[in-house]
Structure formats: structure tokens, C-alpha cells
Amino acid sequence: MKSSNLSTPILALGLLGILVGASSAYGDITIPLGGGWEAQVPNLSQVSISVDSVTSEFVAIEISKDFTEPYDGIGFPGHSILFTQVAADAVTSPRIIILDESVTNLTGSDWTDYHMEIGSGGEVVFDIAASLGFSMAPFTNQLLTLTTLDADGGVVFNNSSFFPGAGPGELVMFADLSGEEAVSFTLTEFPTPEPATVALLVLGLGCLKRRRSR
């Protein structure tokens, strides 16, 4: 695993994005995954999922995401995928494995951080030990907890793509399927901008405020 010493301001900004609605609705497009699971995404032009393999132990997928909405002063609107267990009485796969992703920055700003978050109420977590080799290049620092993955120390330039999971590593999500209720959880992903973008926005708002006060 690469260095996980994220700087305090970067981590704080990431947490702010999580708290202030960084995610967009997952929408009505349903994708059958197999293994007792399906996924809902906002639309296939922004988020798509392809299934690589399915067993009784896991569903292995690949994800493609395009971020197009600009920085709004709080953060970039993120993308959420809703995963739902749809075969509660059948043999289901307790692990959903992300083999790799293709993430494209069309937001008009460079990114210096990227974040992933599981929302499940504790029924689904990242398998930290099984996910240690998951690459977030070009980001050189990453911190993986049971419900979050935060990465910084690199730049994804506007109008470019990066590829989480490129290489042999996998990002493994483990679901506790022992309960009576079917499991449902979200995976939300969102970037944060380079500091210069934030500084320019703050400066612009300050100038606008001074003009109005005159």
C-alpha cells in the first residue's frame, strides 16, 4: 500500500464534500450483475458497469465514469451507484470486486484528490487486507478505511482520464448477507479540485462582495 499520510487540509476538504451532498442521485438505470446483485446508475452516458466474472463468492466488475459538472464552490457533484441484493433466498456473492475503473475529468478544473465512500449502515465494508494492491495512480498517497478510500499527491488534469485499479490490485467490498433483510448500499465517488481553483473562486467571490458593498 502506498503512503497514507494525507495532509489535514486535504482530508478536511474530502470530508466536507461527503457531508455537503457530493453525490448525485443514482437514477433509474438498472444493470443486472449476477450473483444475486444488481446496480442502479444515473445514466449510462456518465456511469457504466461491465461484469467480468461471477461466482458464488464474488462478482467482479469494471466501472467507467465521466465527471462533467463543474466545481460549485463546495465540491464537485459525485456519482453514486446503488448496489442491491435481489436474490435473498438464492446463493449470493458476498464480495463485489472492482477490478479497475476509467475516470474522465470533464469538469473544467484539475483534480488533486479523489474519494470513494461506501454508505451501507455497516452491512458492507472495504476488505482492507484484500485491497492493499489497488492502485490510485497518479495519486501517490492513499488512505483506505472500512468505508472510505481517500487519495491525493497527484493531479488529474482537465480533459484527461485516470485508471484506478490499473495493475494487479483489486478493490474488494464485503457484504454481510447473514441478516433477514436484503442488503443495499451505495458507492459514491467524487474528486476535489487543485488549491489554485479554490483560491481563484474565493478571490472572485471576495471581489463580487466588495463591488456589491460599494
Side-chain angles (χ1 to χ4, degrees):
M1 184 176 182
K2 297 178 180 178
S3 171
S4 60
N5 293 321
L6 295 175
S7 61
T8 300
I10 296 283
L11 184 57
L13 184 56
L15 291 174
L16 179 63
I18 294 172
L19 293 172
V20 188
S23 61
S24 59
Y26 25 80
D28 298 322
I29 307 299
T30 299
I31 302 172
L33 302 179
W37 292 94
E38 68 179 20
Q40 285 185 298
V41 300
N43 60 70
L44 294 177
S45 65
Q46 292 185 334
V47 181
S48 62
I49 301 173
S50 61
V51 178
D52 182 86
S53 56
V54 179
T55 74
S56 61
E57 291 297 320
F58 65 83
V59 176
I61 62 174
E62 299 176 359
I63 300 174
S64 177
K65 295 191 174 192
D66 290 348
F67 288 84
T68 60
E69 296 187 49
Y71 182 71
D72 62 7
I74 298 175
F76 291 103
H79 289 316
S80 292
I81 301 172
L82 174 66
F83 293 91
T84 303
Q85 180 191 3
V86 293
D89 297 329
V91 175
T92 54
S93 304
R95 294 174 179 84
I96 296 179
I97 298 174
I98 299 175
L99 298 177
D100 55 61
E101 297 193 9
S102 173
V103 180
T104 302
N105 177 5
L106 301 173
T107 62
S109 304
D110 298 338
W111 304 341
T112 55
D113 307 77
Y114 196 78
H115 312 274
M116 302 184 184
E117 181 186 47
I118 291 176
S120 70
E123 294 175 311
V124 181
V125 297
F126 287 124
D127 186 330
I128 296 175
S131 304
L132 291 179
F134 189 77
S135 170
M136 291 295 288
F139 301 110
T140 57
N141 305 322
Q142 61 190 72
L143 176 62
L144 180 63
T145 72
L146 291 176
T147 57
T148 61
L149 192 164
D150 298 299
D152 77 341
V155 180
V156 176
F157 295 101
N158 183 46
N159 292 321
S160 69
S161 300
F162 85 111
F163 303 94
E170 305 167 339
L171 186 61
V172 181
M173 297 178 286
F174 179 81
D176 180 0
L177 305 179
S178 63
E180 296 182 359
E181 300 292 331
V183 173
S184 180
F185 72 99
T186 57
L187 175 66
T188 300
E189 300 185 18
F190 61 96
T192 50
E194 63 175 347
T197 300
V198 179
L200 286 173
L201 181 64
V202 172
L203 179 62
L205 290 174
C207 292
L208 181 62
K209 184 177 181 179
R210 286 195 294 273
R211 286 182 180 178
R212 289 179 174 177
S213 63
R214 289 178 180 175

